[in-house]
């Protein structure tokens, strides 16, 4: 790149970066705020709407029906935010919390969309005597809509509400071909056995009379389709939607209207953030400190390329803020974990590239060629590492729910942006610096050949340590299960608890509540993980803690009255369910399992060797189990952030392992004659050792800053991730290559034994005699000596083939 072109390119990069920074921090237009300030935040960071529904009926619904309703309602509110939560309150209530809702108007819009869940009916156009059950009427604004001509209760009593929403097992939007062969939008319905018979009878009568059947929900007809045929197979389609979005809305309305429990709204309110402003402020400060440490380390270790990487990371952060705002992604603490992981991977890609550039410079070639070759040789490792993690993110986003989706979205966005900045922005900056005359090799660093570390030879020690750590975790969980009834310290996110509403006489900030009120709760309940939510526009505060019995609840009320002069009548308590339902746990496990299988298949496809994939999965399992052991020993609260923590470790570990395996694959292609397989693995791991160390350090610094400066809830999130980073680096360096080596040797030995048997069978009696003699020779050797003998024989065969 000529100097003039380099100067122009530098000016363009600076201008684009400045424009992005202005958009993110300040924004355009009068009174407009920057993209950073407009990013949607979750309940833990910004609060949102809290809506409570109560079941209709004299008797409470069954627990099974309530759980089914909760799960389906969760799926419905996911359209407002992936971080929305639904949990039961008492025996007949469901509470919905939707983040990012800050006003009454937004809350009312959601209430209007949700309507009255579980109140859907399919109504005949006329009764048995030919009287109309509904007809077209004029609305207040002069429009036309169908309205009932009788009371709904009367229609139900007369049997003209032929099917209820609970008899619809499936409703989804899609496409089908019409009679002319054209594609048309439809909503397909499937009924259960009871609904199938009732719908068959109703459509038979309606078709004969050329009538319609209206779908009535929450006081309005959502669709009034005419019956075109008698439908007897329990499957029907509704046509006439103008676009697919209208069809999706109708299908969604039918699904929520078909809940097993009919609900009516009890209350709605705006609640504040679960984390106080101090927590958010300190987390921002921690992020700045962590980034400064990463920048300093990159510049000290990698000199000019490190400076280019820091500039690329700045651009990456600006782009992340723009994308989060542009795609309306809700940011929560688990989402921040996804961003941290993607920052680590962005650094990782740069470190791989810079290590390759140094290796190229060590061969004596020029800087410009070294930069080109370094990027080219690092490409496969970067793509494989990022694609495997991207596969996991895509599966988690598709199959997961709640915080799992939020984590997956931010991780996927981060991976794509980090690959772009590493492969294109960093390369552009390095070429600009070179074009400006910065051509001295000392500015880029020259690689030195390191003596290979005997990782494979020490594998027994590494395996023993890992097995001991994993088994100790299971032992600890077993002991706690026997003594306390819980293998892990589950928070109310998993096991539920008690919600205590308290109206104070003064408006206290979250920080004041944490310093003055929470100690009272902790003393009475013994729970150190009490969650707080303030109700906007009032002095009411909601405390969520572990389950309180009558004695503790009474004691807590007395303490609040005594210490804060609270009116005892203003204190109410309700048992609440876990916000992470059994279905959500199942979805998360299914998503993780599917992600592991797909990653295994991808690695098998890319490396042409299933043992690479198997070794990667074993390392992932090791990392997860060791961190699980840490949770068991330290008794850190296991809540929604636990899932994000485990997913972070999986994504981080697989990327580091892939980088090492990529070097092993490359070394196998250039393997010298007679070179031991163990030497290949040791050299490959040693060559990538600096990358493993520096990438782990940079990511560790980011999380360490969160741990040092963060509040208690942030510390509980950061500590296990730090353990996971250390564990992931250990498994990638000390275990991955050795596990692959063992699997490869076992397979080679099995193949050789098979070949020997076939040779023996073909050799006849003479061959049998020789084989027996050889077998006798082997029987006098130890296991180690037999392996060494086989290795030498294999080398001799290889040399013979080469000489031929």
């Amino acid at each position: 790149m000529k100097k003039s072109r380099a100067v122009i390119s530098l000016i363009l990069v600076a201008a684009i970066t400045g424009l992005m920074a202005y958009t993110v921090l300040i924004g355009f237009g009068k009174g407009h705020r920057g993209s950073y300030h407009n990013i949607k935040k979750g309940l833990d960071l910004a609060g949102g709407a809290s809506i409570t529904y109560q079941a209709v009926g004299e008797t409470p619904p069954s627990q099974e029906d309530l759980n089914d309703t909760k799960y389906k309602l969760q799926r419905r509110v996911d359209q407002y935010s992936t971080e929305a939560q639904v949990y039961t309150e008492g025996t007949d209530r469901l509470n919905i919390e939707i983040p990012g809702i800050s006003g009454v108007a937004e809350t009312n819009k959601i209430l209007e969309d949700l309507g009255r869940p579980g109140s859907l009916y399919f109504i005949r156009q006329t009764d048995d005597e030919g009287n109309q059950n509904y007809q077209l009427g004029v609305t207040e604004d002069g429009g036309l809509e169908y309205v009932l001509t009788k009371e709904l209760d009367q229609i139900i009593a007369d049997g003209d509400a032929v099917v209820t929403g609970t008899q619809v097992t499936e409703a989804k939007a899609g496409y089908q071909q019409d009679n002319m062969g054209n594609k048309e939008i439809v909503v397909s319905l499937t009924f259960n056995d009871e609904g199938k018979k009732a719908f068959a009878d109703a459509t038979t009568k309606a078709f004969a009379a050329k009538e319609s059947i209206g779908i009535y929900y929450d006081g309005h007809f959502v669709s009034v389709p005419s019956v075109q045929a008698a439908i007897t197979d329990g499957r029907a389609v509704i046509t006439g939607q103008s676009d697919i979005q209208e069809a999706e809305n109708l299908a969604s309305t039918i699904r929520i209207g078909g809940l097993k429990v009919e609900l009516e709204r009890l209350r709605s309110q705006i609640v504040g953030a679960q984390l106080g402003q101090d927590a958010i402020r300190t987390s921002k400060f921690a992020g700045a400190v962590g980034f400064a440490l990463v920048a300093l380390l990159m510049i000290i270790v990698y000199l000019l390329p490190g400076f280019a990487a820091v500039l690329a990371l700045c651009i990456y952060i600006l782009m992340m803020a723009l994308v989060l705002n542009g795609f309306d992604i809700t940011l929560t603490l688990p989402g921040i974990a996804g961003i941290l992981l993607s920052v680590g991977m962005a650094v990782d890609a740069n470190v791989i590239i810079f290590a390759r550039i140094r290796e190229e410079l060590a061969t004596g070639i020029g800087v410009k060629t070294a930069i080109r070759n370094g990027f080219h040789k690092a490409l496969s490792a970067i793509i494989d590492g990022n694609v495997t993690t991207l596969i996991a993110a895509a599966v988690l986003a598709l199959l997961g729910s709640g915080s799992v989706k939020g984590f997956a979205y931010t991780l996927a966005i981060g991976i794509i942006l980090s690959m772009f900045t590493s492969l294109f922005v960093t390369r552009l900056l390095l070429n600009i610096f070179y074009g400006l005359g910065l051509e001295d090799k000392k500015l880029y660093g020259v690689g030195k050949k390191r003596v290979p570390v005997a990782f494979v030879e020490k594998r027994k020690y590494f395996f023993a340590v890992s097995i001991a750590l994993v088994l100790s975790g299971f032992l600890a969980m077993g002991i706690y299960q026997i003594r306390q009834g819980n293998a892990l310290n589950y928070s109310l996110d998993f096991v539920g608890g008690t919600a205590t509403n308290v109206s104070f006489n003064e408006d206290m900030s979250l920080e004041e509540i944490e310093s003055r009120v929470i100690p009272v709760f902790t003393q009475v309940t013994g729970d150190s993980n009490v969650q707080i939510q303030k109700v906007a526009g009032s002095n009411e505060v909601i405390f969520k803690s572990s389950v309180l019995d009558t004695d503790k609840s009474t004691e807590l009320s007395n303490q609040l009255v005594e210490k804060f002069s609270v009116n005892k009548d203003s204190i109410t308590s309700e048992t609440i369910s876990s916000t992470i339902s059994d279905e959500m746990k199942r979805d998360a496990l299914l998503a993780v399992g599917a992600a592991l299988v797909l990653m295994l298949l991808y690695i098998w496809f890319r490396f042409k060797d299933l043992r690479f994939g198997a070794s990667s999965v074993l390392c992932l399992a090791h990392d997860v189990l060791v961190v699980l052991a840490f949770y068991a020993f330290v008794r850190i609260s296991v809540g929604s952030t636990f899932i994000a923590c485990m997913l972070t470790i999986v994504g981080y570990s697989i990327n580091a392992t892939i980088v090492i395996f990529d070097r092993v694959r490359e070394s196998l292609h250039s393997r010298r004659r007679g070179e031991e397989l163990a030497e290949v693995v040791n050299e490959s791991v040693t060559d990538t050792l600096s990358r493993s160390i520096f990438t782990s350090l940079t990511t560790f610094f980011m999380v360490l800053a969160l741990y040092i400066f963060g509040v208690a809830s942030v510390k509980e999130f950061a500590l296990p991730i730090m353990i996971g980073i250390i564990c992931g680096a250990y498994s990638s360096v000390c275990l991955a290559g050795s596990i692959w080596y063992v699997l490869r040797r076992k397979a080679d030995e099995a193949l050789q034994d098979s070949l020997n048997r076939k040779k023996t069978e073909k050799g006849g009696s003479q061959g049998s005699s020789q084989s027996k003699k050889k077998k006798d020779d082997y029987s006098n050797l130890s296991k180690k000596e037999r392996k060494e003998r086989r290795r030498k024989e294999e080398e001799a065969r290889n040399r013979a083939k080469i000489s031929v």
Side-chain angles (χ1 to χ4, degrees):
M1 183 179 287
K2 293 182 179 180
K3 192 168 185 179
S4 58
R5 288 175 58 193
V7 171
I8 294 172
S9 299
L10 183 63
I11 292 172
L12 286 174
V13 170
I16 293 172
T17 304
L19 182 63
M20 285 195 297
Y22 186 86
T23 305
V24 169
L25 299 175
I26 300 173
F28 293 92
K30 187 176 181 181
H32 185 74
R33 299 194 307 167
S35 301
Y36 166 76
H37 303 285
N38 293 327
I39 295 174
K40 287 186 177 180
K41 301 179 181 66
L43 283 164
D44 50 358
L45 301 178
S50 176
I51 304 166
T52 304
Y53 284 100
Q54 187 164 28
V56 175
E58 296 181 0
T59 58
S62 68
Q63 191 62 45
E64 181 182 356
D65 286 348
L66 201 62
N67 288 339
D68 180 72
T69 301
K70 179 178 74 171
Y71 178 64
K72 290 179 179 176
L73 201 56
Q74 176 73 58
R75 289 296 190 184
R76 168 73 181 214
V77 299
D78 278 348
Q79 66 179 302
Y80 304 114
S81 170
T82 56
E83 305 298 333
Q85 298 176 351
V86 181
Y87 56 90
T88 60
E89 185 178 296
T91 59
D92 62 350
R93 296 178 183 176
L94 283 169
N95 196 281
I96 304 172
E97 292 182 344
I98 304 174
I101 307 300
S102 57
V104 176
E106 288 180 276
T107 306
N108 289 338
K109 177 65 171 62
I110 291 172
L111 289 170
E112 183 181 338
D113 289 345
L114 291 176
R116 186 171 173 174
S119 60
L120 184 82
Y121 300 93
F122 288 70
I123 299 175
R124 293 171 58 188
Q125 184 176 339
T126 60
D127 59 22
D128 291 336
E129 298 178 358
N131 299 315
Q132 297 283 327
N133 287 317
Y134 55 83
Q135 63 184 17
L136 274 174
V138 181
T139 62
E140 293 180 358
D141 58 2
L144 295 176
E145 71 173 2
Y146 284 94
V147 294
L148 293 178
T149 58
K150 307 174 184 177
E151 292 294 328
L152 179 62
D153 291 341
Q154 182 63 45
I155 291 174
I156 294 172
D158 291 342
D160 290 331
V162 290
V163 177
T164 64
T166 58
Q167 294 168 329
V168 180
T169 58
E170 187 178 44
K172 60 181 181 181
Y175 298 90
Q176 72 171 17
Q177 285 189 337
D178 60 18
N179 295 331
M180 303 296 293
N182 298 318
K183 185 184 291 185
E184 65 177 344
I185 300 168
V186 298
V187 174
S188 58
L189 306 177
T190 305
F191 300 90
N192 62 17
D193 291 339
E194 185 182 2
K196 174 182 175 181
K197 184 178 184 307
F199 198 67
D201 294 341
T203 53
T204 300
K205 294 177 183 178
F207 178 62
K210 296 183 179 180
E211 292 181 349
S212 60
I213 292 180
I215 304 175
Y216 189 77
Y217 172 64
D218 191 35
H220 299 279
F221 281 94
V222 294
S223 181
V224 185
S226 58
V227 178
Q228 303 296 315
I231 301 170
T232 59
D233 62 352
R235 297 178 180 275
V237 294
I238 303 172
T239 59
Q241 285 72 43
S242 59
D243 55 45
I244 191 65
Q245 186 59 52
E246 183 182 337
E248 291 282 3
N249 292 338
L250 177 58
S252 182
T253 298
I254 293 174
R255 286 195 298 269
I256 194 174
L259 297 179
K260 290 185 177 180
V261 179
E262 186 174 345
L263 304 171
E264 63 181 2
R265 181 164 57 92
L266 189 64
R267 62 175 178 266
S268 61
Q269 54 198 11
I270 304 297
V271 295
Q274 294 170 347
L275 296 177
Q277 290 302 311
D278 277 352
I280 298 172
R281 185 170 56 254
T282 55
S283 296
K284 290 178 182 177
F285 178 72
V289 171
F291 185 83
L293 289 173
V294 169
L296 188 63
L297 180 67
M298 290 295 291
I299 294 171
I300 290 175
V301 174
Y302 292 104
L303 307 175
L304 185 62
F307 178 67
V310 171
L311 294 178
L313 276 178
C314 292
I315 294 173
Y316 161 82
I317 292 171
L318 293 173
M319 292 173 67
M320 174 63 81
L322 288 171
V323 173
L324 287 175
N325 179 46
F327 285 92
D328 282 336
I329 304 296
T330 302
L331 188 62
T332 62
L333 210 54
I336 292 173
I339 294 175
L340 285 176
L341 177 56
S342 59
V343 168
M345 294 180 72
V347 173
D348 183 33
N350 283 303
V351 169
I352 296 171
I353 293 166
F354 300 157
R356 287 291 194 172
I357 291 174
R358 288 185 169 186
E359 289 175 11
E360 292 296 309
L361 289 173
T363 64
I365 63 176
V367 171
K368 187 175 182 179
T369 307
I371 292 173
R372 184 179 65 249
N373 293 349
F375 274 89
H376 175 71
K377 291 187 175 181
L379 186 62
S380 63
I382 294 171
I383 290 177
D384 288 337
N386 282 278
V387 168
T388 48
T389 312
L390 193 60
I391 288 171
V395 174
L396 293 171
L398 190 65
L399 300 179
S401 57
S403 59
V404 176
K405 276 187 180 290
F407 171 85
Y409 288 151
T410 53
L411 177 58
I413 292 169
I415 290 171
I416 294 169
L417 293 180
S418 69
M419 286 183 67
F420 172 78
T421 53
S422 301
L423 295 175
F424 295 99
V425 177
T426 303
R427 184 170 190 169
L428 176 62
L429 290 172
L430 284 178
N431 286 327
I432 288 174
F433 292 154
Y434 180 82
L436 292 174
L438 302 175
E439 303 176 6
D440 191 339
K441 289 185 178 182
K442 293 180 181 179
L443 295 173
Y444 299 85
V446 179
K448 297 178 181 178
K449 188 65 178 176
R450 296 180 178 83
V451 177
V453 180
F455 289 105
V456 172
E457 286 75 10
K458 295 181 175 62
R459 64 185 182 278
K460 291 181 179 179
Y461 302 106
F462 297 138
F463 291 169
V465 170
S466 297
I467 292 170
L469 288 173
V470 171
L471 291 179
S472 66
F474 284 115
L475 179 63
M477 286 187 284
I479 293 172
Y480 280 112
Q481 181 67 41
I482 295 170
R483 290 182 177 178
Q484 300 181 6
N486 278 324
L488 299 170
N489 181 22
Y490 296 107
S491 74
L492 58 90
D493 289 329
F494 275 88
V495 297
T498 300
T500 304
N501 289 47
V502 184
S503 292
F504 291 93
N505 298 323
E506 57 178 313
D507 184 16
M508 288 191 287
S509 65
L510 278 178
E511 287 69 35
E512 289 179 293
I513 295 169
E514 287 175 350
S515 62
R516 296 172 57 191
V517 185
I518 290 299
V520 176
F521 268 82
T522 302
Q523 180 184 357
V524 175
T525 65
D527 185 358
S528 59
N529 298 292
V530 180
Q531 295 181 7
I532 317 165
Q533 284 183 321
K534 288 189 65 179
V535 178
S538 71
N539 296 338
E540 183 181 354
V541 181
I542 304 170
F543 298 89
K544 297 177 184 177
S545 63
S546 57
V547 177
L548 301 180
D549 56 28
T550 304
D551 292 339
K552 285 186 177 180
S553 185
T554 302
E555 183 184 352
L556 180 62
S557 296
N558 293 336
Q559 290 279 350
L560 291 171
V561 170
E562 178 185 339
K563 295 186 176 181
F564 302 101
S565 302
V566 174
N567 184 351
K568 196 168 187 177
D569 294 335
S570 71
I571 304 173
T572 60
S573 296
E574 283 285 357
T575 300
I576 59 174
S577 71
S578 60
T579 56
I580 299 174
S581 65
D582 291 337
E583 291 83 358
M584 291 172 68
K585 295 176 194 174
R586 182 198 63 207
D587 290 347
L589 290 173
L590 177 65
V592 172
L596 289 176
V597 171
L598 289 176
M599 286 192 292
L600 177 63
L601 293 175
Y602 176 80
I603 296 168
W604 185 10
F605 169 75
R606 284 288 292 157
F607 287 82
K608 313 300 182 187
D609 188 343
L610 183 60
R611 287 162 294 200
F612 282 115
S615 304
S616 302
V617 171
L618 285 174
C619 286
L620 289 184
H622 163 271
D623 297 341
V624 169
L625 291 175
V626 171
V627 175
L628 193 64
F630 179 77
Y631 269 99
F633 276 110
V634 184
R635 307 304 287 173
I636 294 177
S637 177
V638 175
S640 59
T641 56
F642 167 79
I643 297 175
C645 176
M646 288 301 183
L647 295 175
T648 302
I649 292 162
V650 167
Y652 185 83
S653 179
I654 190 70
N655 188 63
T657 303
I658 290 298
V659 172
I660 291 176
F661 282 164
D662 183 81
R663 184 59 70 97
V664 172
R665 175 179 59 180
E666 181 182 322
S667 300
L668 285 173
H669 291 158
S670 58
R671 184 180 180 185
R672 298 182 299 276
R673 188 174 69 179
E675 186 179 13
E676 297 262 0
L677 191 62
E679 293 177 24
V680 173
V681 175
N682 288 335
E683 285 185 6
S684 300
V685 177
T686 303
D687 288 342
T688 56
L689 188 60
S690 62
R691 168 262 156 214
S692 300
I693 293 173
F694 290 128
T695 302
S696 299
L697 280 177
T698 52
T699 314
F700 187 85
F701 283 160
M702 292 289 292
V703 185
L704 178 64
L706 280 176
Y707 181 77
I708 293 174
F709 299 106
V711 295
S713 56
V714 176
K715 288 178 184 288
E716 284 193 347
F717 170 70
L719 184 58
I721 290 185
M722 286 195 293
I723 300 300
I725 290 170
I726 296 171
C727 187
Y730 165 78
S731 68
S732 298
V733 172
C734 301
L735 300 180
S738 295
I739 293 173
W740 176 83
Y741 171 82
V742 170
L743 294 177
R744 170 72 180 258
R745 290 291 297 172
K746 291 291 183 185
D748 288 347
E749 288 175 9
L751 178 61
Q752 187 59 51
D753 288 342
S754 175
L755 292 173
N756 288 338
R757 282 195 301 271
K758 289 181 179 179
K759 187 176 181 181
T760 301
E761 292 171 0
K762 291 181 179 179
S765 59
Q766 182 179 356
S768 298
S769 175
Q770 292 174 350
S771 177
K772 185 175 185 305
K773 182 177 182 302
K774 186 174 182 180
K775 185 176 182 181
D776 291 339
D777 291 342
Y778 271 97
S779 64
N780 296 325
L781 301 176
S782 66
K783 185 176 180 181
K784 184 176 181 180
E785 289 171 333
R786 283 200 299 271
K787 287 185 176 181
E788 181 64 19
R789 173 76 65 85
R790 287 194 181 98
R791 183 186 65 77
K792 290 180 178 179
E793 290 174 353
E794 183 182 355
E795 287 181 4
R797 282 191 297 275
N798 288 337
R799 285 195 295 272
K801 290 177 183 177
I802 293 169
S803 63
V804 172

